[in-house]
Amino acid sequence: MAIMRIITRLILRKSSQSPPPRWLSTAMEKSTEAPQEKSRNTIFYRVVGASSKSCVVDVLNKWVEGGKTVKKGDIINLSTYFRSRKKFRAALQLYEWMDSSNLQFSNADEAVRIDLLGRAEGVASAEKYFDGLQEKTDKTYGALLSCYCRERVLDKALETFEKMNEMNYTSTLNYNNVLSLYYNLEQHEKVLSQFQTMQEKNIAADTYTYNMLINSYAALKNLEAVEGVVEKMESSNVKPDLFTYGNVANLFFNSGLHEKANTFLELMEKMESEGKTGKEACHTRLRLYSMMNDVAGVNRAWEALKSVGPGPSNTSYLFMLLALSKLGNQDGLEKILKEWEEGCTLYDYRLPNVLLEYYLSRDMLEEATSLYKRLKERGSEPNLSTLSFFITICLQNSEIDLALEYLEKGLEKGKSRDSKWFPRTETIEAFISYFEEKGDTERGGKFIESMKKHSRLQSDSLLSYIKATEEGSS
């Protein structure tokens, strides 16, 4: 189903990313939430609340010019806030201002700055700053290594890593960065050999290390070894987390070993009963239980999800709708969508798209049309997938002018977002079938002109139709 493309981010991706940067700052480790400010008359509020056109440095300077002080803790809080939201350039400006203002600059601060330079300006900027440091420590070396690994610069990463080992700057985190680099370069055998080196040097492996090892064995299609890694974790007193169990369940399910997958899903549920619940873990359970046709499992996962934090997000509702669609539960779909619509603050067309596709895939045109009319009345901007469904409904209801209007709207939207998939092949074929069946050469011509204008002439069906049209008119 087309809507399942929404969930293209496999659970495997989480452990293939760089390990958490523990060396950056204790504030970042403890929380990625914005610090709670009691008063709006604080430097935190002034910086975060400034307009997007305002430079962080200008706001800080204006604060100081007003006779107020900026403490290092203020910079750390603001940096934590910006980094958690991937606003790396703003965070970098904070550290540049702190340096120019002669606030105390520690080795950890230098490491953070290297990381931010790498993210905001590229590896070359991070290297230049590192080379200019009078004292290079395990933290600054680790930050540079992390930059190389994140950007997949293999030769420099290995050269830096070797130098760090010579200086006895070895740590679990540094090894994890190299493991991540090898994994992302699909050098899975190197992940295994590097792990072996860790064992020989008595460098402790953590949950991230083992998760990387699991994914590497999975990439090598050695599922027996995957199970062995989980057993080794438990024997090494490294407790598997929700991601570990969800990842392994996903691997076994995709290999057709549903009973083993279910075993790890049950382990996830056991952890949740102990109070260790996470949204991503619940999403995994929703998806896998629905694909196993386990209605009770889906319902348990949904109840667990509703207990996490402030309640289900738009993404959580999306996972539930997709699960119910997979189960063929129409009543549940309609009920959950209504529940979400009544409480949502931001309308997300991905969610009604699930129900639209459910109706259309079952030729439930009356229900699809009713939902389509309700969505039209909202007046908000539908996404490309919604427009694609709208076109299908209009064509089936012989509303060709409206279908062409939605086509043009989607082509314009797709152009601005460089979305080459719109319209889908099946949509193009549906237009052509309509024009041929109705003998509507006038609107067929409009369709061709729209597709030509937006350089969407890759479809064989469309090219054949254009050729036939030209031959018929000659």
Side-chain angles (χ1 to χ4, degrees), residues 89-218:
R89 189 163 295 280
L92 177 60
Q93 289 175 1
L94 289 167
Y95 280 90
E96 289 172 344
W97 184 88
M98 184 169 78
D99 192 14
S100 65
S101 300
N102 296 319
L103 288 178
Q104 184 181 3
F105 222 73
S106 67
N107 292 332
D109 296 322
E110 291 171 343
V112 173
R113 193 166 174 180
I114 289 169
D115 178 73
L116 292 172
L117 281 165
R119 293 179 186 274
E121 298 181 2
V123 169
S125 289
E127 285 178 325
K128 184 178 179 180
Y129 179 76
F130 175 83
D131 290 339
L133 292 174
Q134 291 185 344
E135 181 186 6
K136 298 177 176 64
T137 66
D138 59 332
K139 290 182 175 62
T140 53
Y141 266 105
L144 184 63
L145 174 66
S146 179
C147 287
Y148 288 143
C149 291
R150 185 175 58 247
E151 299 303 322
R152 306 183 188 184
V153 186
L154 180 61
D155 54 345
K156 290 188 175 182
L158 295 182
E159 181 184 338
T160 303
F161 187 56
E162 184 177 347
K163 189 177 294 187
M164 292 172 71
N165 282 329
E166 291 172 0
M167 293 185 290
N168 202 30
Y169 288 168
T170 55
S171 69
T172 302
L173 176 63
N174 294 330
Y175 270 91
N176 282 349
N177 269 311
V178 175
L179 291 176
S180 176
L181 173 61
Y182 280 135
Y183 180 83
N184 286 324
L185 292 174
E186 299 185 5
Q187 297 185 22
H188 305 298
E189 295 285 1
K190 293 284 184 68
V191 175
L192 308 186
S193 63
Q194 197 68 248
F195 176 77
Q196 185 61 38
T197 302
M198 289 180 70
Q199 299 290 95
E200 291 168 0
K201 292 187 174 182
N202 292 319
I203 295 171
D206 61 12
T207 306
Y208 183 93
T209 315
Y210 283 114
N211 285 338
M212 190 61 63
L213 196 61
I214 286 169
N215 284 348
S216 296
Y217 277 124

Side-chain angles (χ1 to χ4, degrees), residues 297-327:
V298 166
N299 289 333
R300 289 196 305 274
W302 181 240
E303 289 304 313
L305 192 50
K306 288 195 290 186
S307 70
V308 180
S313 62
N314 284 5
T315 299
S316 297
Y317 272 104
L318 175 61
F319 270 91
M320 183 56 173
L321 288 166
L322 288 167
L324 293 169
S325 178
K326 184 70 178 176
L327 293 171

Side-chain angles (χ1 to χ4, degrees), residues 199-464:
Q199 299 290 95
E200 291 168 0
K201 292 187 174 182
N202 292 319
I203 295 171
D206 61 12
T207 306
Y208 183 93
T209 315
Y210 283 114
N211 285 338
M212 190 61 63
L213 196 61
I214 286 169
N215 284 348
S216 296
Y217 277 124
L220 296 168
K221 302 189 185 306
N222 189 345
L223 292 182
E224 186 176 339
V226 167
E227 240 179 326
V229 173
V230 178
E231 292 172 2
K232 184 174 180 60
M233 289 180 75
E234 293 168 343
S235 65
S236 302
N237 293 320
V238 178
K239 186 68 177 172
D241 57 14
L242 283 168
F243 171 72
T244 305
Y245 288 141
N247 192 17
V248 174
N250 188 70
L251 293 170
F252 280 126
F253 178 84
N254 289 339
S255 300
L257 302 172
H258 293 184
E259 285 190 18
K260 285 195 173 184
N262 194 62
T263 298
F264 286 97
L265 289 174
E266 289 173 355
L267 287 170
M268 292 175 75
E269 291 195 46
K270 183 179 178 184
M271 288 186 73
E272 288 168 351
S273 69
E274 297 169 355
K276 302 172 184 177
T277 305
K279 285 189 177 181
E280 284 200 14
C282 292
H283 294 165
T284 299
R285 286 172 52 203
L286 281 173
R287 185 173 65 84
L288 294 184
Y289 276 135
S290 68
M291 295 179 79
M292 293 176 184
N293 204 34
D294 186 340
V295 178
V298 166
N299 289 333
R300 289 196 305 274
W302 181 240
E303 289 304 313
L305 192 50
K306 288 195 290 186
S307 70
V308 180
S313 62
N314 284 5
T315 299
S316 297
Y317 272 104
L318 175 61
F319 270 91
M320 183 56 173
L321 288 166
L322 288 167
L324 293 169
S325 178
K326 184 70 178 176
L327 293 171
N329 186 339
Q330 181 181 334
D331 290 342
L333 269 171
E334 293 168 343
K335 177 184 175 184
I336 290 294
L337 182 63
K338 182 181 178 182
E339 176 186 307
W340 168 74
E341 285 183 324
E342 288 175 349
C344 76
T345 54
L346 178 64
Y347 204 85
D348 185 341
Y349 275 93
R350 295 178 303 165
L351 281 73
N353 282 353
V354 178
L355 188 53
L356 272 176
E357 184 170 35
Y358 179 90
Y359 288 147
L360 290 171
S361 66
R362 289 161 174 77
D363 295 323
M364 300 170 66
L365 184 58
E366 184 178 340
E367 289 82 355
T369 301
S370 176
L371 177 55
Y372 152 71
K373 289 178 178 177
R374 183 156 60 84
L375 293 175
K376 269 185 66 179
E377 290 171 0
R378 292 194 60 83
S380 51
E381 189 68 22
N383 62 28
L384 286 175
S385 291
T386 312
L387 289 171
S388 187
F389 291 133
F390 281 6
I391 289 169
T392 300
I393 294 167
C394 289
L395 286 172
Q396 292 189 28
N397 284 319
S398 297
E399 297 175 323
I400 184 61
D401 290 327
L402 200 48
L404 287 169
E405 183 182 321
Y406 287 133
L407 173 71
E408 185 62 29
K409 192 172 187 177
L411 288 169
E412 287 293 336
K413 184 187 286 281
K415 182 173 66 176
S416 65
R417 299 183 181 182
D418 197 27
S419 298
K420 299 294 185 184
W421 66 266
F422 183 94
R424 295 189 175 98
T425 302
E426 54 265 33
T427 305
I428 294 171
E429 291 173 351
F431 269 113
I432 293 171
S433 295
Y434 178 90
F435 298 135
E436 290 178 338
E437 182 183 331
K438 303 292 184 180
D440 193 342
T441 55
E442 180 186 348
R443 291 179 177 82
K446 290 181 180 179
F447 171 70
I448 292 170
E449 286 306 311
S450 284
M451 298 297 281
K452 282 182 178 179
K453 184 175 74 171
H454 294 279
S455 302
R456 295 290 201 275
L457 299 178
Q458 297 88 349
S459 165
D460 291 338
S461 299
L462 178 56
L463 292 172
S464 297

